[in-house]
């Protein structure tokens, strides 16, 4: 499942989309704190907002485990063309 957010987005919007998704059900089943996931997404939002040259960011997957830091396995960044 993929979840898309249009920038700018808010903490509340992120949490609502996650909770309503299949991913949210997995997060709950694995007893992963949803606020931790939201916090990591907010870091990515901040990265995009602070770097206007980023056109698209695709991370697949991000692995979350209890009491461990999140790990991004594969990241693709598409840049705007420089003129």
């Amino acid at each position: 499942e993929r979840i898309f957010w249009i920038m700018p987005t808010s903490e509340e919007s992120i949490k609502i989309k996650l909770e309503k998704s299949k991913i949210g059900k997995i997060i709950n089943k694995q007893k992963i704190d949803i606020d931790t996931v939201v916090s990591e997404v907010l870091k990515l939002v901040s990265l995009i907002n602070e770097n206007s040259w980023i056109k698209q960011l695709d991370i697949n997957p991000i692995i979350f485990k209890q009491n461990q830091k999140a790990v991004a396995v594969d990241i693709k960044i598409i840049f705007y063309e420089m003129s």
Side-chain angles (χ1 to χ4, degrees):
E1 177 180 26
R2 293 178 183 212
I3 301 175
F4 296 92
W5 286 281
I6 304 299
M7 297 299 133
T9 191
S10 68
E11 182 175 351
E12 181 180 347
S13 172
I14 294 166
K15 193 168 187 174
I16 288 169
K17 278 194 175 186
L18 281 172
E19 289 174 337
K20 291 182 178 184
S21 70
K22 292 177 187 176
I23 295 169
K25 291 180 177 82
I26 294 168
I27 289 168
N28 285 332
K29 185 176 179 181
Q30 297 294 319
K31 298 188 180 1
I32 296 168
D33 179 29
I34 193 146
D35 290 326
T36 299
V37 178
V38 171
S39 175
E40 294 302 314
V41 173
L42 283 171
K43 289 176 188 176
L44 295 170
V45 168
S46 185
L47 174 74
I48 292 167
N49 287 338
E50 293 172 9
N51 297 283
S52 60
W53 42 266
I54 296 176
K55 182 177 182 179
Q56 182 179 334
L57 180 65
D58 185 11
I59 303 173
N60 186 25
I62 301 176
I63 300 173
F64 290 90
K65 293 185 179 180
Q66 286 182 344
N67 304 317
Q68 294 182 17
K69 292 189 176 198
V71 176
V73 176
D74 184 32
I75 301 171
K76 178 172 81 174
I77 301 174
I78 297 175
F79 304 103
Y80 284 104
E81 285 187 39
M82 303 297 277
S83 51

